[in-house]
Amino acid sequence: MIDIASIRNDFPILQKEVHGKPLVYFDNAATTQKPRVVVERIENGYYNVNANIHRGVHYLSQAATEAHEEARKTVQRFLHASSPNEIIFTRGTTEAINLVASSFTDACMSEGDEVIISVMEHHSNIVPWQLQAARKGITLKVVPINPRGELCLDTFRELFTERTRLVSLVHMSNVLGTVNPIKEIIEEAHAHDVPVLVDGAQSVPHIRVDVTELDADFYVFSGHKIYGPTGIGVLYGKEEWLDRLPPYQGGGEMIATVSFEKTTFNELPFKFEAGTPDYIGSTALAEALRYVGRIGLAEIAAYEHELLVYMTERLKEFEGMRIFGEAAQKGAVVSFLLREIHPYDMGMLLDRLGIAVRTGHHCAQPLMQALGIEGTVRASLSFYNTKEEIDRFIAGIRRVEQMF
Ligand code: PMP
């Protein structure tokens, strides 16, 4: 059971007033708020354990190194990866996808090779591949969706050719909320001997992820969407793949030896972590993962599902309400349009009532084109949200409706 009063107490920002009204924060898909333990961990890191890590002989450097490597192990356990060498710290999902796109293309693709993505991808799982397409002449194949916002799996199966080198798909859509059958997708891809990258930016905060059970080849997520700090994220990669791929960036930390004649690269995971890593961010991320673990992902999923069902029912009370994405498997994200009310107007007016939602294309313009719209209003929930907040949100939409 979720102890909502105690949880809300952990997030000081939730007590805030916005425009004189208590804040209702429904923009969790963009970023989540931070519990006290995470902020305190950052503070404690800078006050007590701050020194550049690796190779330091002095106490503070060793303590900081230990904390950073312990954080890697926390991430490893969280994802159920088999080795800490499979956990690469990045700046976030976007950087992790760019890393794979760049290194995988260099090592494994040539002109005419194909990558399968889907129409529901975030720009960060489209544009890195387009950059590689321009550089190396690879081709993108796009899986469409059905009217409920689910991937068309029959079409997906037909997209494989002998030139398919990688499948790169989102686990949970940041617009539709659709949770894709990623295990089935990975099985299908592996039957064609094709590895799979999973964009877990939206799934990891809401669904228990076991990369070993999924047999994912690459799995990426961002710290800030799972109650951790901004500027840190994770690339999980099977060791055999990471070993095969060339470094993404050059610099300190990622080398074994450097001379002007020849440089050799460090072993995993350091080969992919050029420069001073965010060793404060990594430990704060680990703290966030422990926090989520204490509440329990099964409890989180059950409670958020209850909120999703309630919000969806209440939104359907409005005449002229269009909800985008009604997948059988759906996370707590609702994108909608009410009659002809522009999403921007809805977002602005709700903000005056202290209610934070996101409006626009949500970094998924190709999906908007497929839906034949320019944008939506999006309310995305967390385990710290409540039915009372949903009631205030519904009352807010009623007020906006009356103004039009
Ligand atoms: N993929 C998805 C599905 C997302 O929702 C987001 C963030 N909105 C990203 C990727 C990019 O994450 P970040 O900006 O943290 O790199």
Side-chain angles (χ1 to χ4, degrees), residues 29-30 92-95 122 124 170 172 174 199 201-202 222 224-225:
T93 302
T94 303
E95 190 180 57
H122 188 277
S124 63
V170 71
M172 174 176 151
N174 66 317
D199 171 355
Q202 294 298 334
S222 298
H224 69 96
K225 290 187 199 281

Side-chain angles (χ1 to χ4, degrees), residues 29-31 90-97 120-125 170-175 199-203 220-225 230-233 358 362-363 378:
T31 202
T90 65
R91 282 196 301 122
T93 302
T94 303
E95 190 180 57
I97 297 176
M120 67 168 80
E121 299 309 315
H122 188 277
H123 294 163
S124 63
N125 196 25
V170 71
H171 196 165
M172 174 176 151
S173 160
N174 66 317
V175 178
D199 171 355
Q202 294 298 334
S203 43
V220 300
F221 74 93
S222 298
H224 69 96
K225 290 187 199 281
T230 52
I232 186 115
R358 192 145 291 246
H362 316 295
C363 296
R378 180 185 74 185

Side-chain angles (χ1 to χ4, degrees), residues 364-375:
Q365 285 185 356
L367 174 59
M368 295 299 130
Q369 284 150 20
L371 295 170
I373 55 177
E374 285 194 3

Side-chain angles (χ1 to χ4, degrees), residues 102-351:
S102 170
S103 295
F104 188 91
T105 306
D106 279 348
C108 308
M109 294 210 268
S110 48
E111 195 176 339
D113 282 346
E114 296 162 358
V115 176
I116 297 178
I117 60 171
S118 86
V119 76
M120 67 168 80
E121 299 309 315
H122 188 277
H123 294 163
S124 63
N125 196 25
I126 301 173
V127 184
W129 301 110
Q130 289 176 328
L131 292 176
Q132 296 306 323
R135 207 168 66 83
K136 263 234 167 138
I138 61 170
T139 306
L140 296 185
K141 298 268 198 90
V142 182
V143 188
I145 53 174
N146 68 22
R148 287 193 304 278
E150 297 162 326
L151 288 181
C152 297
L153 292 178
D154 289 342
T155 315
F156 167 65
R157 289 186 194 99
E158 286 160 13
L159 289 181
F160 284 89
T161 71
E162 67 218 21
R163 299 306 300 267
T164 310
R165 293 288 171 268
L166 188 78
V167 171
S168 189
L169 290 179
V170 71
H171 196 165
M172 174 176 151
S173 160
N174 66 317
V175 178
L176 306 165
T178 310
V179 177
N180 290 319
I182 215 72
K183 192 169 161 63
E184 209 179 314
I185 285 167
I186 291 171
E187 268 166 23
E188 180 72 25
H190 286 177
H192 294 271
D193 260 339
V194 172
V196 180
L197 182 156
V198 184
D199 171 355
Q202 294 298 334
S203 43
V204 150
H206 309 286
I207 302 166
R208 180 182 177 274
V209 171
D210 181 330
V211 289
T212 305
E213 189 190 319
L214 289 175
D215 203 17
D217 300 281
F218 303 100
Y219 198 104
V220 300
F221 74 93
S222 298
H224 69 96
K225 290 187 199 281
I226 183 160
Y227 313 98
T230 52
I232 186 115
V234 169
L235 160 64
Y236 158 81
K238 278 186 188 164
E239 206 159 349
E240 61 193 272
W241 275 114
L242 295 178
D243 269 333
R244 268 182 72 184
L245 303 189
Y248 174 52
Q249 293 179 328
E253 304 273 347
M254 53 74 72
I255 52 88
T257 61
V258 177
S259 73
F260 286 115
E261 290 70 40
K262 184 174 165 60
T263 288
T264 56
F265 302 128
N266 206 338
E267 58 202 19
L268 289 175
F270 312 111
K271 180 172 99 176
F272 290 106
E273 293 181 354
T276 300
D278 186 356
Y279 53 85
I280 300 286
S282 62
T283 54
L285 170 60
E287 198 62 53
L289 299 183
R290 280 192 289 275
Y291 180 83
V292 166
R294 283 197 293 278
I295 299 175
L297 273 161
E299 285 74 12
I300 289 173
Y303 178 68
E304 289 179 349
H305 183 71
E306 203 182 306
L307 292 181
L308 171 69
V309 169
Y310 183 65
M311 179 183 265
T312 307
E313 274 171 9
R314 300 273 348 244
L315 281 171
K316 284 185 174 172
E317 291 168 7
F318 289 88
E319 215 167 291
M321 174 62 69
R322 281 198 291 162
I323 291 179
F324 299 89
E326 297 213 67
Q329 299 300 321
K330 181 174 173 176
V333 173
V334 185
S335 277
F336 66 93
L337 287 173
L338 179 58
R339 299 215 288 274
E340 300 308 315
I341 303 173
H342 196 281
Y344 183 76
D345 292 333
M346 178 68 83
M348 281 264 294
L349 293 164
L350 287 175
D351 176 60

